[in-house]
Amino acid sequence: MGRKKADRYGFAIREAQEKDLPEMVGFLARLALHVSGAPPHDLKESEHKRLLKTLRSSLDDPNRRLIVAESTDAGLVGMGYVYIWRSQGIWEQSGSEEFKSGIIDDVWVEPEFRNLGIFKALLRDLVAFAEQHHASELTLEYAASNKEAKAAWTKLGFKTTGVRAAAFTSVVKQVLTESQR
Ligand SMILES: CC(C)(COP(=O)(O)OP(=O)(O)OC[C@H]1O[C@@H](n2cnc3c(N)ncnc32)[C@H](O)[C@@H]1OP(=O)(O)O)[C@@H](O)C(=O)NCCC(=O)NCCS
């Protein structure tokens, strides 16, 4: 269904190129704002450059795939990224067997192009790349407050495997102080 809808609206998924990088930095900035829930901000020039450099380093890396969704009318409307993480295992008993995992990150679809199947089209490409590299598992992180991410990932079969927790230092200190009394 997703693929048919995307085709009808004239989207293509392709590998990112150097010329796409400035716009992709804009996507990453909007993703960061979306996750933090903050109002619009401008990226510092140094951060803009750092993100450009990070994205550029993925372009020719055979273990990384950086892709964009492009609309015939509107240009770039989304992006996605996966890299292959390799582990030799830490146990004597596991021998020299290499374990490969696909780490998915930086998936973004522009708000006015959502619910057209672009996310699923991006994921089809990233999953094909992971499969080609024999990555038997895919992992990713999203903020617990990110409702559409939770919905989209859960529909694809992702299950929560851990929890990242945060607290104000002052709160933790207070709890510890009270527990001493
Ligand atoms: C999450 C996101 C990538 C989904 O993109 P999209 O192109 O709108 O998703 P699709 O149209 O391909 O939909 C994929 C599935 O997720 C579901 N879905 C998407 N957004 C949803 C929402 N807000 N609530 C419930 N379900 C949703 C769709 O219904 C669809 O399900 P289906 O397979 O049953 O039809 C997009 O909302 C986004 O960019 N959000 C902000 C950035 C973000 O959260 N990125 C992920 C960070 S890890």
Side-chain angles (χ1 to χ4, degrees), residues 5 31 34-35 107-110 113-121 140-142 146-149 151-153 155:
K5 271 199 283 182
L31 175 58
H34 173 78
V35 170
V107 179
W108 173 263
V109 175
E110 286 284 79
F113 293 91
R114 290 187 186 159
N115 289 307
L116 297 174
I118 296 179
F119 169 80
K120 285 205 283 191
L140 54 90
E141 289 185 8
Y142 60 85
N146 193 347
K147 300 281 180 271
E148 65 258 64
W153 293 124
K155 280 189 173 174

Side-chain angles (χ1 to χ4, degrees), residues 69-85:
E70 188 171 36
S71 147
T72 34
D73 302 330
L76 299 192
V77 294
M79 68 177 284
Y81 170 67
V82 66
Y83 73 91
I84 307 300
W85 180 81

Side-chain angles (χ1 to χ4, degrees), residues 92-151:
E92 275 298 338
Q93 289 82 351
S94 50
S96 58
E97 194 185 333
E98 189 176 58
F99 175 77
K100 291 181 196 151
S101 184
I103 316 289
I104 295 176
D105 203 358
D106 299 336
V107 179
W108 173 263
V109 175
E110 286 284 79
E112 58 273 36
F113 293 91
R114 290 187 186 159
N115 289 307
L116 297 174
I118 296 179
F119 169 80
K120 285 205 283 191
L122 287 164
L123 261 292
R124 275 186 204 101
D125 181 294
L126 299 181
V127 167
F129 181 82
E131 239 189 343
Q132 282 159 21
H133 287 76
H134 309 289
S136 56
E137 183 191 76
L138 300 170
T139 60
L140 54 90
E141 289 185 8
Y142 60 85
S145 58
N146 193 347
K147 300 281 180 271
E148 65 258 64
K150 183 177 168 57

Side-chain angles (χ1 to χ4, degrees), residues 3 5 17 39 41 54-55 65-66 85 89 102 105 116 120 138 143 154 162 166 174 181:
R3 187 178 351 213
K5 271 199 283 182
Q17 299 166 13
H41 281 76
T54 306
L55 290 174
R65 182 147 175 95
L66 189 57
W85 180 81
D105 203 358
L116 297 174
K120 285 205 283 191
L138 300 170
T154 303
Q174 188 183 342
R181 288 179 193 145

